[in-house]
Amino acid sequence: MADFERRIDPYRPELLAHCYRMLGSVHDAEDLVQETCLRAWRARDTYDESRSSLRTWLYRIATNACLTALESRSRRPLPSGLVAESDPRRPFVHGGEVTWLQPLPDALLGPVDPQTVTVDRASLRLAFVAALQHLSARQRAVLILREVLDFSAAEAAGILSTTTASVNSSLQRARARLRETEVRPDQVDEPSEAEQRAWVDKYMRAFENADVEGLKRLLTDDVRMEMPPMVNWFTGRENYGVFMDWVFAKNGHDWRFRPLGANAQPGFAAYNRGPDGAFELHTLQVFTVTTKGISRNTVFRDADVFASFHLPSHLTR
C-alpha cells in the first residue's frame, strides 16, 4: 500500500484542482480526492498500465466520483450569476439557502513540481470556476477534460465511458454556453504575480488609511464587487467608492490585514477592531488584477471559508 500511495501522491494537487473546478467547494473537493485515492487503492489490481497512464486512470475515477456527487448537489454560483446588478446604496439582501462558490486556498495545492504534474492556474480563477457553474455536470466535465487538462476527445470519451461523438457534441454546447458568460480561462491580461501582489498591497494601504479616492485609483472602470452570502453586487469605480464610504462609516477606520492567496489570485483577510479592542475577522477578499488595475473583488464572509484558510478569529494587535 505504501508503494501505491507514493505513486499517486504526486497527482493529489491536480486532482484537488480538478475536483474543485467540478464542484466549486473546497471541502467537497478534498473529500472527493480522498474517495478517489481509496477507490484507486481498492481497484489497484485491475489497473492495466498498457491501456492507460496512471494519471488518466486516476482522472477517470475522480471525474466519475464528481459526476456522482453532483447528482445530489446544486450548482454554486456567485451573486452576479444569480441576480441582476444592485445599487450600492440599497440594503443588503441575504441569499438565504443559496450554496455559494467557495475560494480555493493556494496553500492546499502545495509546491507543484512541473516535472511531475501541471496545475493550470488560470483555470482556477474565481470568475472561470463561477462560469463553469452555468454548465451541466457532464458539459463541465467534458470542457475541463478537453480544454483545461488537454485530454484528447478519445481519452475524454474513455474517462467518461462514452463515445467520441458524444464528447464533441457536449464540448460544442459547453463552449456555446460559456461564451454567453464572456469568461475564458485565458481572457484576463494579468501582470506578473509580484506585480499583482503589489497592486493589492497598495489597496491594503489605502484601505488601512480609509482613503476611498486612493482605492478608486487602483480600480478599472468596470470593476466588479460581489459579497456572498449577500446577493448584492455592483460594477463601476464610482459605485465602488460609494460602497467603501459606507464601509468606513459603519465599521470605522481601524483595520488589520493578513495577505493570502486563493485561486492563484492575490487576496487578504481583513480584521476590524471590535468593542473589546481586539481585531475581529471580518472578510476574506480575493482580487483579479489586470495590467489596468483591479477589475474584480470577491468578498467572502462565511465561517466555512474562513476555516478552509485556517484564519484566526481574532488578532491581538
Side-chain angles (χ1 to χ4, degrees), residues 90-242:
R90 297 189 59 144
F92 281 129
V93 178
H94 196 281
E97 299 302 313
V98 175
T99 305
W100 298 104
L101 176 66
Q102 295 178 336
L104 175 69
D106 286 353
L108 287 182
L109 297 177
V112 179
D113 182 358
Q115 299 297 320
T116 308
V117 293
T118 300
V119 176
D120 181 351
R121 302 226 164 200
S123 67
L124 291 175
R125 291 191 193 104
L126 274 170
F128 180 64
V129 180
L132 291 175
Q133 301 299 305
H134 294 276
L135 306 179
S136 70
R138 197 80 169 179
Q139 289 172 357
R140 202 179 305 174
V142 167
L143 186 131
I144 293 169
L145 291 171
R146 292 284 286 114
E147 299 208 331
V148 174
L149 299 170
D150 205 28
F151 284 108
S152 68
E155 288 171 326
I159 288 170
L160 295 168
S161 301
T162 188
T163 65
T164 301
S166 176
V167 165
N168 289 335
S169 177
S170 291
L171 182 58
Q172 288 179 354
R173 291 195 297 272
R175 284 171 173 167
R177 185 71 184 95
L178 206 58
R179 277 195 296 272
E180 295 174 8
T181 70
E182 299 181 348
V183 174
R184 299 284 293 172
D186 57 354
Q187 192 177 54
V188 177
D189 184 15
E190 291 183 332
S192 70
E193 184 176 336
E195 289 172 317
Q196 291 181 58
R197 187 74 253 174
W199 276 99
V200 175
D201 287 346
K202 291 177 184 176
Y203 185 99
M204 285 193 295
R205 287 194 293 272
F207 198 125
E208 194 167 19
N209 293 324
D211 180 3
V212 174
E213 290 304 313
L215 289 172
K216 288 163 62 176
R217 285 193 293 271
L218 297 169
L219 310 174
T220 60
D221 291 339
D222 59 350
V223 63
R224 174 180 297 183
M225 175 181 275
E226 42 197 333
M227 303 161 284
M230 304 303 171
V231 298
N232 309 62
W233 65 278
F234 51 83
T235 60
R237 187 182 286 117
E238 294 307 315
N239 282 335
Y240 203 108
V242 168

